[in-house]
Structures are given as C-alpha cells and as structure tokens.
Amino acid sequence: MAAIYSLFIINKSGGLIFYKDYGSAGRMDTNDSLRLASLWHSMHAISQQLSPIVGCTGIELLQADTFDLHCFQSLTGTKFFVVCEPGTQHMEVLLKVIYELYTDYVLKNPFYEMEMPIRCELFDLNLSQAIQKDRVSLLGR
Amino acid sequence: MIGVGKAKQYANVLDKPLSRGRQEVSLSAFAFLFSELVQYNQTQVDNIAELERRLEDAGYAVGARVLELLCHREKGNRRETRLLGILSFIHSTVWKVLFGKVVYLITFCIWKDNLYQKRYVADSLEKGTEHEDEYMISEKELLVNHMGAFNCGAFVAGIVRGVLDSAGFPAVVTAHFVPIEGQQRPRTTILIKFAEEVLRREARLG
C-alpha cells in the first residue's frame, strides 16, 4: 500500500532539483518530471496572483479524483510537493520533515551547489527512512 | 551606585579568566562553518590529497590549542608522559569536550562507539605483522562526516596530530574509511602511527 506516489523538490526558479517516485503509479520519465515541475512552479505563482485573499502564499493542496498534491514552500522559495493517494493524512508533517532533512543533509554538504540537482547520499538514505517510517505509521493507524 | 553588580569589563580579552564557558555549541552553526571551511579550501587546491592536507593543517591548529585549554581546565595542569596516558586523554577528554554525546534532539544523532585498540591483537588467529607503533581510534559516525560525502575525517586526524605533537608524542595521523558488513556506511578509523623516538622513550620508561 503505497500512499505516496512521488516527491518533487523544485528550486526558486522552478527547476527540478529532486524527483523520487514510489511505486509504479507515480513513475514518469525525466522529461515529463521536468515539465511537470516547471508547470507546477508557474501554477503556484499564478495562484498567488489570482487569490482573492491578500497575502496568499500559493497552492497548498490540490485534490483530484485519482490523487492529492500537497505542496510546501519554504521562505526561500524552494518548493517541496508530494503526489499521493486521495485522502492521505499528515502529508504536511511529512513535507516539513523532508524540509528538515533537506536543510541538514543537502545544505550542509560542502559539495552541494545551490539550486543544482541534489546528489547527496545521506539525504537519500534519510529520506527513504523517513518515508518508510511514515508508511509504517500510516498502516498502524 | 551605577555599575555595582555588573560584571567586570576587561579591557583586554587576554585578561579575562578562563571560565568553563558554554558547554555546547549549535550543531548547525558548526556544520555551516565547517562546510564553508571545506568549500574555501576547495577553491584553492587542485586535488583531493591537497584538500585533505589543508583540512589536517586546520585541525592541527585546533589540536594544539585544545591541548593547552584542556590541560588547564580538566586536568589541573598535569602533563602526560606515557603513551597510554595521552591516548586515553585523547579518547576520553578531548573527544568528550569536542564532540560530546548528543541526544536525539533534531534529526541528528552522533553515535559514540569508540573503541581504540592496538593494531596487533593478541589473538592467536591474527597472524599479521606486529605494528607496535600503530594505534587506532575507531568511530562509527564521525561528526564531520555526517554531512559530507567525502572523508572530512582529515580534519579530526589533524586535531589528534596537533594534540599529540604539542604533548611531545610526534606521530603521523590519518583517517580511513573501513567498510563494515551489515552497515551501510563505512566506519571511520583514525590511525595513529607514532615516531621512533616516542617508542624508544616509552620502552626506556618501562
């Protein structure tokens, strides 16, 4: 039971810096994932302008028939969004955890260049551990 | 009167007494500072070996100062003259003060799984050459390696070398990755190889 289909991280200019799919439902090839990332970036920006509420920070949740998309934007403009099964709980918490992992293992890595694709072994390791733990606790509820 | 009860302000920072100081420093602050140190050195060198040497030199400076400070604070100005004495000083006091035992606060955990042992084991199965002058400090998850993909253990090796050199035990100290089965990440080992004169002195002292 894979509640999460895929995870995307995009930098402040809309380029995809990290993409991970979990299970066949979320799988797409590189070009598609890049396209989707920039599409989401534009939609997120446009939604901020369209919103009737002043001070809106963009789309946080998109609900469709076959999936949900939760998005978290950091103060620096880096966006973390996860595509999951409809009705999956606690995705915001998971996104915050992933953000913390990003700051700990990517930003403190001396060899990581800002806004570039993430290639950090420790980040991957801890990310899969976090997703696994989340999966286990989801099953437990 | 104005000023009564306020802490005495020292004109010269060298006049301030050597207090205990804050026991803990933010891990994130150290991580960013160390990351910047590595990045700065990376721009100045051509290859990895040179980078490691620079990190080691940086650590050497830290080690020399740490020895002075800890001798004053922790040991009451006693000087170590024996090999095992200085090694246990490094292994316990220096490691505790520099890296400490940190509990699960955030995502980090620094496991301290130190064991140091003589390079040759008095085990009948071990038939390798006896290296009397080599000692190892083995650590499961070295703090500075926690963030980076690359062996920043050179920095810690430099610290150890600085402490040993300033204490009068010249040695060559290097950091190595030792792959362990059953664990994804290799263990970091600090290998200390003492100079001839140290061993001769030690033998003389009995």
Side-chain angles (χ1 to χ4, degrees):
Chain A
M1 175 210 148
I4 301 168
Y5 293 148
S6 50
L7 167 73
F8 292 74
I9 305 180
I10 48 186
N11 62 19
K12 60 166 80 79
S13 22
L16 182 69
I17 57 175
F18 186 80
Y19 164 68
K20 186 99 196 287
D21 63 69
Y22 299 94
S24 52
R27 196 155 293 150
M28 60 177 82
D29 67 8
T30 329
N31 287 331
D32 280 346
S33 60
L34 284 164
R35 225 170 280 135
L36 191 75
S38 28
L39 188 69
W40 180 254
H41 174 78
S42 324
M43 277 198 351
H44 192 96
I46 292 170
S47 71
Q48 276 180 303
Q49 306 294 321
L50 281 179
S51 167
I53 301 167
V54 176
C56 171
T57 51
I59 305 176
E60 283 178 1
L61 170 62
L62 180 97
Q63 283 177 316
D65 286 336
T66 47
F67 71 92
D68 276 356
L69 192 152
H70 295 257
C71 179
F72 168 70
Q73 183 182 38
S74 71
L75 288 168
T76 52
T78 311
K79 287 177 266 299
F80 299 78
F81 63 95
V82 62
V83 178
C84 54
E85 266 178 19
T88 319
Q89 301 286 324
H90 305 282
M91 283 293 113
E92 294 86 25
V93 176
L94 179 69
L95 282 172
K96 293 259 169 33
V97 168
I98 294 174
Y99 180 47
E100 221 180 293
L101 291 178
Y102 170 76
T103 58
D104 286 340
Y105 296 106
V106 177
L107 295 183
K108 290 173 188 163
N109 186 335
F111 303 103
Y112 172 70
E113 291 172 54
M114 289 304 302
E115 319 296 346
M116 288 287 119
I118 296 174
R119 301 252 178 279
C120 305
E121 183 191 306
L122 275 172
F123 178 67
D124 294 330
L125 193 66
N126 283 274
L127 181 66
S128 29
Q129 279 176 1
I131 301 278
Q132 194 58 37
K133 206 162 57 165
D134 188 73
R135 209 170 272 173
V136 166
S137 57
L138 265 176
L139 286 171
R141 259 182 232 118
Chain B
M1 263 194 291
I2 300 170
V4 161
K6 262 170 47 173
K8 192 168 155 201
Q9 300 295 325
Y10 291 94
N12 191 353
V13 70
L14 293 173
D15 290 334
K16 275 170 76 170
L18 266 181
S19 66
R20 232 53 282 240
R22 285 177 58 92
Q23 298 295 329
E24 286 174 0
V25 172
S26 153
L27 182 60
S28 300
F30 171 71
F32 281 122
L33 188 64
F34 187 73
S35 164
E36 190 52 39
L37 176 73
V38 174
Q39 283 179 50
Y40 173 74
N41 283 315
Q42 223 188 342
T43 59
Q44 318 232 319
V45 301
D46 300 322
N47 53 54
I48 291 265
E50 186 66 24
L51 177 63
E52 285 198 354
R53 203 186 62 82
R54 281 187 176 233
L55 282 180
E56 221 188 279
D57 288 343
Y60 185 89
V62 174
R65 288 158 177 78
V66 152
L67 176 71
E68 298 292 344
L69 187 65
L70 290 185
C71 274
H72 174 79
R73 272 190 197 161
E74 310 274 340
K75 292 163 53 184
N77 293 321
R78 225 179 67 244
R79 191 168 71 97
E80 294 291 343
T81 49
R82 303 309 301 268
L83 200 68
L84 284 181
I86 192 73
L87 280 175
S88 72
F89 171 69
I90 291 177
H91 163 257
S92 54
T93 315
V94 175
W95 232 256
K96 185 162 66 82
V97 168
L98 288 185
F99 304 118
K101 244 190 160 69
V102 177
V103 226
Y104 265 104
L105 280 177
I106 26 179
T107 337
F108 293 127
C109 65
I110 294 105
W111 294 101
K112 262 185 47 102
D113 189 23
N114 280 340
L115 27 97
Y116 83 76
Q117 60 213 153
K118 272 185 119 168
R119 182 69 184 284
Y120 86 91
V121 180
D123 187 303
S124 52
L125 296 170
E126 180 93 25
K127 284 216 186 349
T129 49
E130 293 181 358
H131 289 279
E132 288 264 358
D133 56 351
E134 285 182 355
Y135 287 78
M136 297 199 311
I137 296 178
S138 176
E139 176 139 17
K140 194 161 142 187
E141 186 76 53
L142 206 54
L143 177 60
V144 296
N145 276 344
H146 208 75
M147 333 299 175
F150 147 83
N151 194 357
C152 298
F155 182 67
V156 179
I159 296 180
V160 174
R161 189 166 69 93
V163 172
L164 288 174
D165 248 8
S166 311
F169 294 83
V172 172
V173 188
T174 44
H176 302 277
F177 270 140
V178 176
I180 309 274
E181 315 91 48
Q183 275 178 30
Q184 260 168 325
R185 307 210 64 231
R187 189 174 257 235
T188 312
T189 298
I190 314 278
L191 183 67
I192 307 167
K193 194 177 168 67
F194 287 101
E196 269 299 309
E197 54 183 88
V198 176
L199 298 165
R200 271 182 276 144
R201 187 178 68 209
E202 192 65 21
R204 214 170 50 234
L205 286 171

